[in-house]
Amino acid sequence: MENQTSLEIKNISKTFPGVKALDDINIKAHGGEIIGLIGVNGAGKSTLMNILGGIHKPSQGQILIDGNPVEINSPQDAEKYGIGFIHQEPVMFNYMTVAENISLSRLKGKVNYKEINVIAKEYLGKMNCDIKPTDKVGELPIGSRQMVEIARALSSGGKILLFDEPTASFTDKEKQKLFEVIRDLKKQGSCIFFISHFLDEVEELTDRTIVLRDGKVVITGNTKDITREEILRNMIGGEVAQVGNEQKRTFDKVTMKVENLTVGKLPDHVSFEIRRGEVLGIWGLMGSGRTETLRAIYGIDKVDEGAVYLDLDDGRGLQKISFKDISNYCGYVTEARHDDGCMLPWTLWENMAAPNLKAYKKKLFLDYNQQKEDSKEFAKKLNVKAPSVFTNMSALSGGNQQKVIMAKWLMKKPKVFLIDEPTRGVDVGAKAEIQRMIRELAREGTSCLVVSSEIEEISALSDRVIILNRGVIKGELSREEIEKHTLMSLCV
């Protein structure tokens, strides 16, 4: 089976209004191998997977399975031909049990719960999972829900498995468990496509790597034979511009002071200051209270104890600000852009103007023309790649969605910018752009409070880092002191 071609993508192209997303793609895939599919946001990776998964129809070209041409016009067709699509965010019914989700396509008429529980137990057992068929999916952690989605694909006869950014929200333990499962599926003869923005994952897991750029295959070969520099160069079509943390800067005026901030167990009596034009990083492992600290400062979560002070540039110095009023002076980029960072059905200009509607009030109406003009200006400033500001957010790549989310707060001219995981789930090119943008904001005088789970990002961005461990500040490092070993030793 290992040498048998189980899937052939032949001359596939896909055109959306004004955009050619795929341009004459040709790929042969075999059972018993793992193929890494990588490229910057907008390169065409997800479009190709959506065609295989029956979500989009190709504009031209052909798909062959075991040498036979097939038409995949729906997810049901994909399932019929043995294609299983494991999404970045598991597509599940949270109120249903694990067994019900696994046997979803077979739930017709009166449900035989004994039978579907046996089926669920069988396929979860193939992956050495201890998840119970009767567990409610909504009560499972993200890693377990991903396993349920894989079990559902396998139970439907899935031999061609498409993994689209499956580890984006995983802990390291969950990731390694998933990798074990994928390797076992490979041994069983499955043909596996693995999309990831993390090149170390592609290097660790895959047998072959395919790089897409502008809807075309630009390089393909055995993963072990392709260097990381070669991959990066082909992904962006040139050399990768790195974020340089310029030589040490000095800061005078304190813009924000946080005092004894406490919310349940996380954070626990956290105190710090951030100065004008400074990038202050917050570092810690999952569960350290990083996100909870930002949410508390911004007034999203109810604070048990503590206060926030801001200098409003009115000559009075630091003034205590109530948590319900913080949003008038600060911007906040959340770590989950699709959950609470933007409105996907809205246009770019509607998303960008939303936080600052008071500024556009014109007697009894809103000045929509000015909103659109300002949105155009900031879209250009942040290099948002979209046909126009009238494009829906849902049509943008992840990196460009993140730029729009940042732009909407910049239009408000915040005193302090709270940024949680600024480049999670975006490609290497967009990541460098967003990081440079943050440094530029700081140079222009905006104070930036940044949470990131990547050591390299915290090191590149921060003028100073505070380290959280179980909700408590365990240390503070200046730019010259930021170093991987020190950061890890303080957070464990």
Side-chain angles (χ1 to χ4, degrees), residues 100-348:
E100 287 170 328
N101 272 279
I102 288 174
S103 292
L104 197 59
S105 62
R106 294 181 285 274
L107 297 183
K108 298 174 183 177
K110 187 176 180 180
V111 179
N112 185 333
Y113 283 97
K114 183 177 180 180
E115 180 182 340
I116 67 170
N117 285 339
V118 169
I119 291 171
K121 188 174 182 180
E122 175 189 353
Y123 286 96
L124 291 168
K126 286 184 177 182
M127 299 186 296
N128 296 316
C129 288
D130 57 2
I131 304 167
K132 295 177 182 177
T134 54
D135 287 343
K136 283 282 195 299
V137 164
E139 297 172 359
L140 299 176
I142 185 72
S144 296
R145 276 181 272 167
Q146 201 75 275
M147 296 301 176
V148 174
E149 192 164 36
I150 298 170
R152 182 169 66 191
L154 295 177
S155 75
S156 300
K159 295 295 290 181
I160 300 168
L161 301 175
L162 319 175
F163 290 85
D164 191 359
E165 297 285 353
T167 66
S169 303
F170 274 25
T171 64
D172 189 61
K173 185 177 180 181
E174 287 173 331
K175 182 179 78 172
Q176 292 306 322
K177 172 65 176 174
L178 175 65
F179 283 8
E180 288 175 19
V181 169
I182 291 175
R183 291 186 183 106
D184 284 342
L185 293 170
K186 170 191 168 180
K187 290 176 185 176
Q188 295 167 28
S190 295
C191 171
I192 297 164
F193 283 87
F194 181 81
I195 296 177
S196 178
H197 284 308
F198 301 107
L199 298 186
D200 57 335
E201 293 184 355
V202 174
E203 291 166 347
E204 178 183 348
L205 185 65
T206 67
D207 303 301
R208 189 152 54 102
T209 295
I210 297 172
V211 179
L212 294 182
R213 187 177 76 243
D214 298 330
K216 298 179 180 180
V217 173
V218 290
I219 187 173
T220 182
N222 294 330
T223 301
K224 62 182 176 61
D225 297 329
I226 306 174
T227 66
R228 180 172 292 200
E229 290 73 21
E230 192 175 1
I231 288 173
L232 292 172
R233 191 166 57 249
N234 279 278
M235 283 174 69
I236 66 171
E239 299 299 326
V240 180
Q242 300 296 326
V243 176
N245 196 343
E246 64 270 18
Q247 56 182 228
K248 184 177 179 180
R249 298 183 299 145
T250 57
F251 309 97
D252 45 18
K253 187 168 71 172
V254 174
T255 305
M256 172 186 279
K257 178 181 178 183
V258 176
E259 193 173 75
N260 292 322
L261 191 68
T262 303
V263 181
K265 294 181 179 179
L266 301 169
D268 182 7
H269 293 90
V270 164
S271 300
F272 61 84
E273 294 178 345
I274 181 169
R275 298 178 182 275
R276 177 178 169 82
E278 182 181 29
V279 179
L280 177 61
I282 299 182
W283 169 256
L285 300 179
M286 189 171 291
S288 64
R290 305 168 305 181
T291 293
E292 291 83 353
T293 297
L294 262 60
R295 288 174 61 89
I297 292 171
Y298 199 68
I300 298 172
D301 296 336
K302 190 176 184 301
V303 173
D304 297 325
E305 184 181 341
V308 174
Y309 301 83
L310 285 174
D311 189 327
L312 304 180
D313 292 321
D314 56 5
R316 296 185 298 162
L318 289 171
Q319 299 292 312
K320 185 176 179 180
I321 306 293
S322 69
F323 289 101
K324 68 181 180 65
D325 290 332
I326 285 287
S327 61
N328 293 329
Y329 309 104
C330 299
Y332 175 47
V333 174
T334 76
E335 65 173 339
R337 59 177 173 265
H338 288 173
D339 291 344
D340 50 14
C342 65
M343 295 293 291
L344 289 174
W346 290 13
T347 63
L348 270 67

Side-chain angles (χ1 to χ4, degrees), residues 338 342-346 348 351 391-397 401:
H338 288 173
C342 65
M343 295 293 291
L344 289 174
W346 290 13
L348 270 67
N351 272 276
T391 303
N392 284 354
M393 279 286 281
S394 58
L396 300 189
S397 66
Q401 287 176 352

Side-chain angles (χ1 to χ4, degrees), residues 53 74-84 105-106 152-153 156-158:
S74 68
Q76 290 74 28
D77 285 345
E79 184 177 307
K80 179 176 72 175
Y81 291 119
I83 298 173
S105 62
R106 294 181 285 274
R152 182 169 66 191
S156 300

